[in-house]
Amino acid sequence: MRFLPTGEQSDFARTLRSLLGAAEVPATVRAWAAGDHGPGLALWSRLAGTGLCALAAPEAYEGLGPLPVELALAFVELGRAGVAGPAVETAATVVLLGELARRGEEAPAKRFLPGLLTGDSLATLTLPGGSPYALDADAAEWCFAVRGAGDTATAAEAGPAPDAGAGDTAAAAAASGVAALAAASGSGSARTRALAPDAGELWLVPGGGERLASLDPARGLFLPGAGGEPLAAGPAVSAAAGVAARWARLLTAAQCLGVGEALLARTVEYVKQRTQFGVPVGSFQAVKHRLADTLLDLEFARPLLWAAALSLSDGDVAAAKLTAGEAAYAAARTALQLHGAVGYTEELDLSLWLRRARPLRDAWGGPSQCRAEVVRSLPAPSGLPQTTATRRVTT
């Protein structure tokens, strides 16, 4: 199997790298962390103009894909440049809406995909079993939440049902699940609604609220607001959410690889310039070994990322996320060690990548969760039961 990008894929990656190199991304990230989203949104619009978001959408909705390999290549470049914002969540939302449309729930895709593909809108997303926090909900135009069988909601939270067309019948509305989502008791009082084991609900929820601290100042965490608008319900939502979570984990792994490469490149450049005892510190054997180990970690993660993009299986994606996340975090530790005290300063652009490595390692599946998924995906030895593990993703 060939794990090298084609010429066309390489050209696309170079185009993104050139665009990002001319965009003064560090200044954009600092503005984003300070609450000024204007430069970041403008950059996202330019990225969408290259067809970035369209890579996750089906052709029936003016997309180009879904093309996971090309999108993974793109997110390596986003990680290398240090782009801020809910890029993974936006792409996962596009996948979620496209998968819902493929399963017969077309209304959300028709409503939201046009704005997402053109870059006019950003989206953030929470999924069952994952972190309750929505990334950068203050900057995203739309905040989506999928509620699984373990969640409950009140009928009063549902609000009014979406307007139905003149030819719609009550039976059709019930079949879609949306009418049941929005149904309330006759008195209007709240009541708890439990979901079927294989069912899920897609909601458009308020995204404002208090911003919670993250290790990375450019990653704003928000608890989605109560209530919202129900968009779809049923087994199709649950299945689509599983696909979207797998894509989110894959693209986060790609970002981790890009972050690790950026940290390594900046550290190599620094140790060539910093001198001690009259020679560059990069000539010391201990420094060479530390950098070589970091490079090996990143290069080991790369083919696993491409394999995961080709197969999109749970085990392959978890393996890619595990290795890329750990490699990025190791690269951050190496960069901090070899930069010395200057590595701690916020004024140094290196800090933008240092602070991102750990949150990305844990986002959409931390090391222990990914290890459990890898083990679960392995065939059971003859005569022994299949190993089971809890499946959980974090955002």
Side-chain angles (χ1 to χ4, degrees):
M1 187 176 291
R2 178 182 174 86
F3 289 117
L4 294 175
T6 65
E8 185 176 355
Q9 291 167 341
S10 297
D11 290 342
F12 176 60
R14 279 192 292 269
T15 298
L16 288 177
R17 191 177 303 185
S18 177
L19 186 157
L20 293 167
E24 299 183 354
V25 174
T28 300
V29 175
R30 287 192 166 90
W32 190 277
D36 180 8
H37 300 133
L41 294 175
L43 174 59
W44 181 254
S45 181
R46 294 199 296 274
L47 289 169
T50 67
L52 177 64
C53 297
L55 294 172
E59 295 181 1
Y61 294 90
E62 306 300 327
L64 302 173
L67 298 173
V69 175
E70 286 76 4
L71 203 57
L73 277 165
F75 273 76
V76 171
E77 297 303 325
L78 296 187
R80 180 183 287 112
V83 174
V88 167
E89 289 70 20
T90 298
T93 299
V94 171
V95 171
L96 173 69
L97 297 176
E99 188 67 16
L100 271 177
R102 189 179 71 83
R103 295 172 182 271
E105 291 281 359
E106 298 183 353
K110 291 178 179 178
R111 177 177 170 183
F112 297 107
L113 280 183
L116 293 172
L117 298 193
T118 59
D120 294 336
S121 304
L122 281 172
T124 190
L125 175 69
T126 61
L127 295 175
S131 167
Y133 302 113
L135 179 65
D136 293 322
D138 57 337
E141 182 171 347
W142 297 312
C143 181
F144 297 93
V146 175
R147 295 169 180 167
D151 302 324
T152 59
T154 63
E157 287 178 347
D163 293 336
D168 291 340
T169 65
S176 69
V178 175
L181 273 176
S185 64
S187 62
S189 61
R191 66 181 179 187
T192 301
R193 179 185 61 254
L195 299 177
D198 62 343
E201 299 175 348
L202 174 62
W203 288 73
L204 181 65
V205 298
E210 180 184 359
R211 179 187 174 110
L212 304 177
S214 169
L215 291 175
D216 180 2
R219 288 174 63 87
L221 303 178
F222 296 82
L223 280 172
E229 176 188 350
L231 300 175
V237 174
S238 182
V243 175
R246 197 158 54 245
W247 277 70
R249 182 173 284 181
L250 171 71
L251 300 182
T252 304
Q255 275 192 315
C256 287
L257 181 60
V259 166
E261 289 179 341
L263 286 165
L264 178 61
R266 288 174 175 270
T267 305
V268 169
E269 188 64 27
Y270 180 76
V271 299
K272 290 179 180 178
Q273 298 172 3
R274 182 187 175 191
T275 60
Q276 193 172 19
F277 307 115
V279 296
V281 297
S283 64
F284 299 156
Q285 188 175 45
V287 173
K288 291 179 179 179
H289 286 179
R290 187 72 180 264
L291 292 171
D293 289 343
T294 302
L295 177 63
L296 284 175
D297 289 342
L298 293 169
E299 290 303 319
F300 181 72
R302 192 185 313 278
L304 293 179
L305 177 65
W306 304 146
L310 287 170
S311 74
L312 283 179
S313 69
D314 289 335
D316 287 349
V317 172
K321 178 59 168 57
L322 172 64
T323 53
E326 294 284 37
Y329 188 44
R333 296 199 303 270
T334 296
L336 187 58
Q337 176 77 31
L338 299 185
H339 274 79
V342 72
Y344 287 94
T345 61
E346 290 189 6
E347 292 78 9
L348 192 69
D349 286 346
L350 181 79
S351 65
L352 304 178
W353 286 269
L354 281 176
R355 291 180 167 184
R356 186 158 301 175
R358 176 65 181 270
L360 283 181
R361 186 195 73 164
D362 295 337
W364 294 105
S368 61
Q369 298 161 17
C370 289
R371 287 190 182 97
E373 186 63 48
V374 171
V375 171
R376 193 197 66 80
S377 69
L378 297 175
S382 178
L384 294 178
Q386 173 68 43
T387 300
T388 59
T390 301
R391 299 179 63 183
R392 174 181 168 88
V393 296
T394 59
T395 55

